[in-house]
Amino acid sequence: MTDNTQRPHDGHNSPAPELPTQYAPADVEGKLYERWVERGYFEADAASEKPPFTVVIPPPNVTGSLHLGHAFEHTLIDAATRRKRMQGFETLWQPGMDHAGIATQNVVERELAKDGKSRHDLGREAFIERVWQWKDESGGQISGQMRRLGDGVAWSRERFTMDEGLSRAVQTIFKKLYDDELVYRAERIINWCPRCLTAISDIEVEYQEDDGELVSIRYGEGEASVVVATTRAETMLGDTAVAVHPDDERYRHLVGTEIELPLTGRRIPVVADAHVDPEFGTGAVKVTPAHDPNDFEIGQRHGLPMPAVLDERGVITAHGPFQGLDRFEARSAIVGALRAEGRVVAEKRPYKHSVGHCSRCKTTIEPRLSMQWWVKVGPLAKPAGDAVRDGRVAIHPEEMTKRYFDWVDNLHDWCISRQLWWGHRIPVWYGPNGEMVCVGPDEEPPTGEGWHQETDVLDTWFSSGLWPFSTLGWPERTESVEKFYPNSILVTGYDILFFWVVRMMMFGMYAMDGTPPFQTIVLHGMVRDQFGKKMSKSFGNAVNPLDWMDTYGSDAVRFTLARGANPGTDVPIGEDWVQGSRNFANKIWNATRFALMNGATVDGPLPAPEELSAADRWILSRLNTVVAEVDAYYDDYQFAKLSDALFHFAWDEVFDWYVELSKTTFQAGGPAADVSRRVLGEVLDVTLRLLHPIVPFVTETLWTALTGGESLVVAQWPADGGFRDAAAEREIAVVQELVTEVRRFRADQGLQPGQKVPARLDLTGTALAPHEAAIRSLLRLQPEGEGFTATASLPVVGATVALDLSGTIDVAAERKRLAKDLAAAEKEKAQATGKLGNEAFLGKAPEPVVDKIRKRLATAEEDIVRITAQLAALPEA
RNA sequence: GGGCGCAUAGCUCAGCGGUAGAGCGCUGCCCUUACAAGGCAGAUGUCACAGGUUCGAUCCCUGUUGUGCCCACCA
């Protein structure tokens, strides 16, 4: 980004460090990644004795490139996997891509359209050839991005849903379903996209509120007339009845009669059907069985004809003046014609109503009667629901389980056939006399006159539903299947819980003898911009993760994403935050530089506790605590929490305090310095290990420099050694309290941070005596000189610090500060006293709480005494 | 129309029956020999509103308002 070499104060007199003063991600990331891959760290060995840890990539569409949402998902998967690898698991992070039927076909067709061609100009085979060609050209983009991000995937196992092996899996499972009568062919109303020219499943339809027009039309004449309302007037050409509720008095006389259908010269029956809501509108409904799912059912119940009046492109096919018009043109033309005949009795405009759109191309969906293949989901969904119900599969966060059940318990049959060319062609052959044969992977299709294969392909989600085991070589019972199925976790967005997760659950259990495909499902949220807004290209707030990685480094992007990953909730991310993470990486960099410059060591065992200083014991105690915390957070998939815990431990405790304290020790030299060097090395060693899964690059660079170890990727994950030292933690807390208090005083007095001040410390009666040198150094306090004149004396935490300000003390400022502190302490005292005077409180509150209040009161009283003393010690203004 | 969730610092979000937290932003002083991508110090909240339970409520309950998401065949 900017040229950093111009920093004016680059320490020219500091010992030539091996590492530059700033971390430059670009210099190391690419090299490190390639080294990791070359050494085979990410490969998974099915013959390994180690326990397996398996996770699959939610396969991205070959068409695409990765966006920030992928970067987020990959960060979580990669972090979880890297930790497991360090813990000694045989890890498989399975890479691959999805052929993404409609999406990919659309992209290639668009390319063709540039040359004025359609897929039909090429023909099926040539077109598919063309798609493969396109896939080969563009598929590399995604793996390039994954490398940049640092994804530790087993590249040798990369799979594609249209691979030969995966196609075999598809064919195998289809055949099994066919033989078990769990797939069938039926004519129904399906969601049809008039642009993609294919059926799509219910969940591929996106509903949104559109402005339409509700037109009320009078069918029939005089007594024999009813008013019906519609937003799709063009479908009236296909009406074959008017339906009313059986109990509706208003229309009872008409049921069984025929009335005139305007514009057509046809007469249609009035039927009674309980589906009609008599309260809604006029209580009479026009029935278009070929173009509406409800009407289709009414039509079936009453044996009505089901003429189609729109073709696959949404053009009117019904003979007459409207033939050849597009559905929307036809709509206004028909309303116009009806109006001219005085048939329109009411119009509501705009009329907001929910309209279905193709999730791929946003074209308005047209319900259409057609012959399709279906999966009978009932028998598959039941076990998929039970596996979660009985706890064999856990969903994180738990709140999402309800959504899962809502879905899996109310599934409709799944329309799996698509009128596309790009995809797995349905392995069914039709014979000349209506025969139907499903052909398994090792079977020969029937030959002879009149046999032909089904032209439809399968829904993309059909093959992705097999992903957790098809990638392992199934249907072969490979070593990998044995070793790595079921997957340990699945990490994916809550938005594809239904599309993908449910299908994997159903197919996994069906194919693998009832074994669910994973043990734990971890659902994450969506990445949003820094204001919580959805990222989208059209809105202009979409971010290419590569741009940020270029500027700030992959670790910064990863850390920012991990730090935002609260379970199941959306993740806002802004460039400022990435910058903050970059700063953190740089901070780690410099802290380790400091350690290296001061001879921190990782060799040999840690000194025995009795050799350690209080600061050493404090930081080691904290370190072990943090190890335990981080582990607990990992086990609960709390990526935000563990990132935050590490951030604050590293920066606030290790860097801001332990490193600062160690400076004094190093300066003094001697055995204590050696001990501290070893402890500093230990603390950094462990901290870098803990951070590695989230920020692999910077930690790897530093850790190898610090320890000379081979690689953090295969280093051991730290364990909580159980070392705790509450006394040392308290002792250092007191040091911190004193230092902070005096710093505050200094700042209020307007003393420049670097300015040395003669001071006398009276630390008697406190645990602070051994820390005098450190305290003096942190506070820039000099020994008292010849004519020492204390003008300010601060009793803090039982110790006294007398500063010689040579008469320059700003009494007013200090008085103000102390007055404020005094007021706070008095308020505190009043509150605590009030509570402790409350019988009810004393009677009912648990003892620890009461105790806490007592301590608060004691502290407040001490503070009051102390501050009062300080005030009294102030010279007159 | 159902279901779920959320309202906490300027922004984005944690937290949670017992003294309000983080990141970024903001203010002041400082190139203190690891780091100015830094250090030190500091300011900032009727925890949406109204009731209730409790010794005690930001947290639990009820209602109100606002807001987001998912599902649904309402012509």
Side-chain angles (χ1 to χ4, degrees):
Chain A
M1 167 179 79
T2 52
D3 182 0
N4 287 316
T5 59
Q6 296 177 2
R7 277 185 42 240
H9 47 82
D10 229 352
H12 51 271
N13 57 355
S14 62
E18 290 173 35
L19 300 171
T21 61
Q22 288 191 338
Y23 172 51
D27 294 348
V28 300
E29 289 180 355
K31 275 182 247 166
L32 285 181
Y33 191 84
E34 290 317 316
R35 189 186 305 160
W36 292 334
V37 169
E38 277 162 25
R39 292 183 183 170
Y41 291 157
F42 302 144
E43 292 304 326
D45 178 9
S48 163
E49 295 292 311
K50 299 177 187 174
F53 179 84
T54 318
V55 57
V56 292
I57 188 174
N61 294 353
V62 265
T63 50
S65 59
L66 302 184
H67 51 69
L68 216 44
H70 292 109
F72 174 52
E73 185 168 86
H74 290 200
T75 298
L76 304 188
I77 297 175
D78 197 51
T81 311
R82 281 177 184 269
R83 168 177 173 251
K84 285 289 176 182
R85 189 178 293 114
M86 291 174 77
Q87 283 183 322
F89 285 77
E90 187 64 31
T91 54
L92 170 56
W93 177 178
Q94 170 71 49
M97 284 180 275
D98 194 279
H99 69 281
I102 300 183
T104 307
Q105 176 158 329
N106 283 351
V107 170
V108 177
E109 283 191 288
R110 235 175 280 140
E111 297 259 302
L112 285 178
K114 284 181 195 157
D115 306 332
K117 286 192 206 159
S118 81
R119 70 182 205 250
H120 299 281
D121 295 328
L122 297 189
R124 186 163 186 148
E125 279 189 23
F127 178 77
I128 290 174
E129 191 52 41
R130 179 69 184 257
V131 180
W132 275 108
Q133 195 186 324
W134 188 86
K135 181 249 167 190
D136 291 340
E137 287 163 12
S138 70
Q141 209 185 357
I142 288 174
S143 62
Q145 286 175 300
M146 290 173 65
R147 286 165 192 272
R148 279 297 308 279
L149 240 193
D151 289 349
V153 301
W155 284 114
S156 73
R157 292 170 176 263
E158 189 176 4
R159 294 289 182 273
F160 180 52
T161 47
M162 287 286 282
D163 276 352
E164 199 187 327
L166 271 65
S167 299
R168 254 181 95 77
V170 167
Q171 220 175 329
T172 305
I173 198 100
F174 187 93
K175 169 82 172 163
K176 183 171 155 69
L177 288 163
Y178 185 92
D179 291 343
D180 289 345
E181 296 181 358
L182 292 172
V183 289
Y184 62 93
R185 200 166 176 243
E187 189 171 42
R188 288 198 191 145
I189 297 279
I190 44 82
N191 306 292
W192 181 266
C193 175
R195 203 220 60 83
C196 299
L197 300 178
T198 179
I200 60 177
S201 64
D202 291 348
I203 55 177
E204 286 168 293
V205 180
E206 291 174 357
Y207 287 91
Q208 61 184 52
E209 290 273 298
D210 279 2
D211 279 340
E213 182 181 12
L214 183 70
V215 190
S216 298
I217 309 163
R218 190 167 31 104
Y219 282 15
E221 291 292 343
E223 283 288 297
S225 78
V226 294
V227 174
V228 297
T230 183
T231 54
R232 294 159 65 213
E234 71 282 6
T235 61
M236 70 159 292
L237 300 175
D239 284 4
T240 53
V242 167
V244 297
H245 194 272
D247 302 333
D248 195 331
E249 297 295 340
R250 293 170 295 177
Y251 302 113
R252 184 157 283 172
H253 66 289
L254 291 176
V255 173
T257 69
E258 291 197 335
I259 59 173
E260 180 204 353
L261 179 66
L263 303 180
T264 62
R266 279 164 41 211
R267 297 185 69 79
I268 54 175
V270 176
V271 299
D273 194 288
H275 167 77
V276 178
D277 176 5
E279 305 291 318
F280 189 88
T282 60
V285 185
K286 64 190 274 301
V287 181
T288 322
H291 295 288
D292 183 276
N294 295 314
D295 293 5
F296 174 72
E297 285 178 22
I298 295 176
Q300 279 194 316
R301 282 195 285 272
H302 298 274
L304 299 172
M306 303 185 175
V309 297
L310 292 163
D311 70 7
E312 73 276 7
R313 291 175 192 276
V315 173
I316 301 285
T317 54
H319 292 297
F322 307 106
Q323 189 171 8
L325 290 183
D326 169 80
R327 53 190 168 149
F328 299 117
E329 293 165 4
R331 184 173 299 170
S332 47
I334 286 171
V335 172
L338 289 167
R339 200 180 286 125
E341 283 194 11
R343 293 284 188 170
V344 177
V345 300
E347 292 170 79
K348 224 188 245 179
R349 188 173 44 183
Y351 180 74
K352 285 224 184 275
H353 64 137
S354 164
V355 178
H357 297 264
C358 172
S359 62
R360 280 296 154 205
C361 71
K362 311 305 172 199
T363 303
T364 302
I365 288 301
E366 199 60 42
R368 185 160 193 259
L369 184 59
S370 80
M371 183 67 86
Q372 303 288 343
W373 283 90
W374 303 81
V375 169
K376 190 173 169 185
V377 295
L380 299 171
K382 180 71 170 56
D386 290 344
V388 174
R389 248 183 291 273
D390 64 25
R392 273 176 295 159
V393 176
I395 296 182
H396 279 261
E398 211 189 328
E399 301 91 84
M400 291 286 179
T401 48
K402 203 174 150 63
R403 273 204 203 186
Y404 176 83
F405 292 136
D406 283 349
W407 184 260
V408 90
D409 295 341
N410 298 298
L411 270 181
H412 297 293
D413 281 0
W414 170 19
C415 178
I416 51 169
S417 46
R418 296 290 180 273
Q419 288 66 53
L420 304 172
W421 287 352
W422 176 241
H424 300 99
R425 195 161 167 180
I426 292 176
V428 169
W429 296 71
Y430 302 109
N433 304 308
E435 304 96 323
M436 197 158 76
V437 175
C438 181
V439 179
D442 294 315
E443 297 163 10
E444 288 299 315
T447 51
E449 195 68 21
W451 282 91
H452 62 278
Q453 188 177 359
E454 168 65 64
T455 54
D456 289 356
V457 301
L458 289 164
D459 182 5
T460 290
W461 298 102
F462 192 95
S463 53
S464 9
L466 312 176
W467 192 246
F469 50 97
S470 63
T471 50
L472 299 173
W474 188 91
E476 262 47 78
R477 290 218 74 90
T478 59
E479 237 185 332
S480 286
V481 173
E482 298 298 330
K483 180 82 180 172
F484 297 114
Y485 189 94
N487 299 179
S488 311
I489 59 171
L490 174 79
V491 179
T492 192
Y494 62 70
D495 58 328
I496 54 172
L497 183 61
F498 309 141
F499 280 93
W500 193 42
V501 180
V502 170
R503 269 84 183 254
M504 284 191 288
M505 286 291 288
M506 295 197 302
F507 280 173
M509 296 184 72
Y510 177 65
M512 306 299 284
D513 303 320
T515 306
F518 10 74
Q519 291 153 4
T520 302
I521 297 167
V522 180
L523 294 169
H524 64 244
M526 305 294 115
V527 173
R528 303 190 165 246
D529 75 7
Q530 70 265 45
F531 302 112
K533 284 217 162 46
K534 209 171 190 167
M535 280 198 179
S536 74
K537 277 180 198 153
S538 55
F539 193 71
N541 61 349
V543 172
N544 181 349
L546 285 180
D547 292 343
W548 282 355
M549 285 192 259
D550 286 343
T551 309
Y552 302 108
S554 300
D555 287 334
V557 174
R558 291 172 63 115
F559 190 75
T560 309
L561 290 165
R563 208 172 175 201
N566 285 117
T569 63
D570 289 348
V571 186
I573 181 169
E575 185 161 357
D576 287 353
W577 311 352
V578 182
Q579 200 175 328
S581 300
R582 183 272 316 263
N583 295 354
F584 179 49
N586 194 54
K587 186 76 181 176
I588 304 169
W589 179 266
N590 276 295
T592 310
R593 255 183 86 227
F594 170 84
L596 287 168
M597 288 161 76
N598 285 281
T601 168
V602 298
D603 300 324
L606 276 180
E610 51 281 10
E611 293 179 59
L612 300 172
S613 71
D616 296 332
R617 281 177 280 119
W618 157 69
I619 201 66
L620 288 172
S621 178
R622 288 290 305 137
L623 179 69
N624 279 277
T625 307
V626 167
V627 168
E629 267 174 26
V630 166
D631 262 329
Y633 284 141
Y634 261 114
D635 289 336
D636 199 29
Y637 308 100
Q638 297 268 17
F639 294 97
K641 296 274 164 49
L642 70 92
S643 306
D644 204 55
L646 283 168
F647 177 87
H648 285 292
F649 171 68
W651 202 318
D652 299 350
E653 302 190 73
V654 180
F655 305 157
D656 282 351
W657 284 102
Y658 186 73
V659 163
E660 292 305 320
L661 288 167
S662 73
K663 284 178 182 172
T664 315
T665 319
F666 291 154
Q667 206 169 17
D674 289 334
V675 167
S676 191
R677 272 189 258 279
R678 179 66 190 87
V679 173
L680 179 60
E682 176 73 10
V683 170
L684 282 175
D685 179 2
V686 172
T687 303
L688 290 170
R689 287 175 203 251
L690 290 173
L691 281 164
H692 179 256
I694 314 174
V695 285
F697 295 108
V698 69
T699 49
E700 174 81 332
T701 309
L702 295 171
W703 187 82
T704 48
L706 179 72
T707 67
E710 179 191 324
S711 170
L712 262 184
V713 179
V714 291
Q716 204 177 17
W717 182 250
D720 173 11
F723 182 83
R724 296 290 189 283
D725 193 330
E729 289 191 28
R730 274 194 304 272
E731 187 172 332
I732 298 302
V734 173
V735 172
Q736 291 174 335
E737 207 176 317
L738 176 118
V739 168
T740 302
E741 182 65 21
V742 178
R743 275 177 180 163
R744 201 151 78 97
F745 173 81
R746 285 187 56 125
D748 286 343
Q749 287 301 316
L751 291 175
Q752 300 202 334
Q755 190 181 330
K756 303 251 163 61
V757 179
R760 177 191 302 143
L761 302 190
D762 180 4
L763 306 176
T764 51
T766 72
L768 295 172
H771 304 288
E772 175 161 353
I775 290 168
R776 283 189 178 275
S777 155
L778 291 169
L779 288 169
R780 316 277 149 196
L781 301 180
Q782 288 178 322
E784 54 195 284
E786 277 293 309
F788 183 86
T789 324
T791 49
S793 177
L794 300 110
V796 186
V797 291
T800 304
V801 183
L803 299 173
D804 186 352
L805 298 178
S806 313
T808 61
I809 187 163
D810 183 344
V811 177
E814 183 58 4
R815 233 178 245 296
K816 204 171 144 195
R817 180 178 78 91
L818 291 173
K820 205 174 129 199
D821 286 359
L822 188 61
E826 271 165 355
K827 188 178 164 196
E828 179 71 26
K829 182 185 171 183
Q831 267 180 10
T833 312
K835 283 223 162 191
L836 293 171
N838 185 337
E839 292 294 326
F841 170 74
L842 289 175
K844 303 218 175 173
E847 193 48 39
V849 172
V850 178
D851 208 49
K852 215 167 154 185
I853 305 285
R854 286 206 189 94
K855 275 186 187 141
R856 270 168 53 191
L857 178 59
T859 311
E861 283 173 338
E862 274 174 34
D863 285 350
I864 290 169
V865 172
R866 192 196 83 213
I867 297 165
T868 311
Q870 279 176 258
L871 276 167
L874 278 180
E876 291 302 318

